[in-house]
Amino acid sequence: MTAVTPALGEHELALHDRARAVIPGGMYGHMAVTSFSAAHPQFIVSGDGCRVTDADGREYLDLMSGWGPVVLGHRHPGVTAAVIDQLGHGDCLDGASPVAVDFAELLVDTVPSADWAMFCKNGTDATTTCVTTARAATGKRKVLVARGAYHGAVPWCSLRGAGVTDEDQAHLVHYDYNDLSSAEAAAAEAGDDLAAILVCPMRHDVKRDQELVDPAFARGLRALADRTGSVLIVDDVRCGFRLDLGGSWEPLGVRPDLTAWSKAIANGQALGAVTGIEALRDAARSIYVTGSFWYAAVPLAAGLATLTELRKGRALPDMVRTGQRLRDGLAQQAVAHGFEIRQTGPVQMPMLSFAGDEGFRLVTAWAEAAGERGVYLHPWHNWFLSAAHTDADIDDILDRTNDAFAALG
Amino acid sequence: MTAVTPALGEHELALHDRARAVIPGGMYGHMAVTSFSAAHPQFIVSGDGCRVTDADGREYLDLMSGWGPVVLGHRHPGVTAAVIDQLGHGDCLDGASPVAVDFAELLVDTVPSADWAMFCKNGTDATTTCVTTARAATGKRKVLVARGAYHGAVPWCSLRGAGVTDEDQAHLVHYDYNDLSSAEAAAAEAGDDLAAILVCPMRHDVKRDQELVDPAFARGLRALADRTGSVLIVDDVRCGFRLDLGGSWEPLGVRPDLTAWSKAIANGQALGAVTGIEALRDAARSIYVTGSFWYAAVPLAAGLATLTELRKGRALPDMVRTGQRLRDGLAQQAVAHGFEIRQTGPVQMPMLSFAGDEGFRLVTAWAEAAGERGVYLHPWHNWFLSAAHTDADIDDILDRTNDAFAALG
């Protein structure tokens, strides 16, 4: 039996009070812990490999990896060394650093659909730049997006209504993920005003099981874009650099015209990127996009170090092996404890749900029980493995999740 | 006489070739050097205090300060120490770091109009969050913006047309900066659908002389917002933390409802912030905005160190003193060389133009001549002093600009 700790420690609770005074709701966005748990700490003080520590000194085995960015593990020595080395030269300078060229070259060398790259800060910067480029290239306006898909949290793509006007999303036309006929119907609705088809490499909407892409659907979208002269944009912000370094649809042989990257690109440093095909280079050049920190050298140096490490070829197979070990273990535990669960998505981006679990009550109780036993995972958002997880770490996690299943009984 | 170097060195030129192959146009956005100079280096390798060095080892006295963010000087020891210390704990974690609370508290303590703060990455994140919050608070849609004002480079506020649809800007209503009657007319046009008045603390549009705000205009906008029940948003992204730590309109006694911050907030680390009044806390909480790196601890630690240093009270007066020294010196040089120039904006955010200089030909030639003599400044975008500039640095700059004026003769 793993130890069970009271839900929240005194330092955490003191921080809650302070935060509520100076931050709306005490925190916001996907990291507002009150939106998914009464037992998870809102504040994390440090991270090391696949472990994080809260304000009360409690250590958690980390299955969120900073919600995706930390693909090599927290404070990866190679990336940290690159960051500190670059800090010794400079970060936000008057012009781009040569490391921007180094990293653009490495991306172009790594990603078969990339003839060029541009850098930014957020995943939303990247998806917005893709859509703007596609509109500039085609002179058209409509963008097909999957119903419920997350492409960022700004008005043009927000899934929430507060503060968003109808006009912000006037040129989005919706289809259903993995339903090619719905995409074709959306394209027909867009008619001769179709600029782009925007799609995630798999369906990873929150609060529902993940769904891998049907290869025929991916090929069908590629053909639809070719037939209509529109731009196929893959939003690889969440999956990028965890499924295939060449792009998440590369194993299917489906190459996008534009790809949006962020999250794992620099192991946690703030960086996004857009890559594209030669035919869209002039359009990318024609639009005006920029940001004060888009050219900063330190995150680019971190990206260079991260991708260099990933290209050594061990990190992704390691995540697949440990992810499979986790999935197999959780499946056995669920059976042993008499629960019917579903585990969906690629094993290195796990998601677990309980059958018939209305309102996510059971999975939330299980996630909180896991949290109390020192495993940080999420009840209705996918998790992320990192290359820092070892088989022994997974076994340690499984000891604790087993007790969490038992606690539900 | 200062030495004159050939316009571009061999390493710089080699980087140009490599960049053109893998980055559209060889670079993009405001740092695309081809948009403003044939003689400035595109690539900067390092920075130290108020000096930057290009790929060929040429050192420049820096008057751009990373285009604003570097308010304390490149590689400021205190900020760098805070960054490296935080890197030793963690950066992109599963929850926010307590440093987010520390920094929110410090902002609220520093900015009289701030009852709360939220953090993001880009200036554009901050302006977008302000507008979204205002719409959520009021349930209305129209936003007054000054004609030609820069609030970011995404479709809703972009000043360029490529890739932007009419609907993206459907709810913007334009007024002229410092013309209260035009703002009142715009408000009348918005009628009962007015959500917000968005305004920069001074007029700093590119390619025109800067213009300080008329205090009566600022007070008039405040009254207009109050009368119409709309939200007054000050976009302090560019001026913030260089004019007044409490907000750039604090010396006028005009307090915004929402303020967008970025650039100088963390001395070059990627960070933005929104601060707001108590009455807008619930609206800020109601919107969904987020980003993968918005909660990252390292930039917040840099922000905390930067604002702590600024609050010691020496940096801003120092920049005013050195900025005045630069302005006085340039004025004398222009007279001595027989040129009629205008110097506009606050002395710590200088801008220089030549009278009757069609197409910016003269100022571009002068800026390039300064560049060849080791001063990095811009022909038609404002410059930025930092606290790292000493009187001796200014005198060194003036020696070189004097030669640049002479070279025009």
Side-chain angles (χ1 to χ4, degrees), chain B residues 245-297:
Chain B
L245 296 187
S248 295
W249 279 4
E250 190 60 22
L252 309 180
V254 178
R255 292 190 176 158
D257 300 313
L258 293 173
T259 306
W261 309 89
S262 186
K263 282 206 183 276
I265 195 170
N267 203 46
Q269 285 272 322
L271 190 65
V274 171
T275 57
I277 61 170
E278 190 57 43
L280 294 172
R281 187 191 291 261
D282 286 347
R285 187 179 178 169
S286 76
I287 66 170
Y288 188 78
V289 290
T290 198
S292 297
F293 311 114
W294 285 22
Y295 315 82

Side-chain angles (χ1 to χ4, degrees), chain B residues 8-22:
Chain B
L8 298 172
E10 57 174 321
H11 291 91
E12 168 77 10
L13 291 171
L15 281 164
H16 283 211
D17 289 342
R18 289 173 55 201
R20 268 195 300 270
V22 293

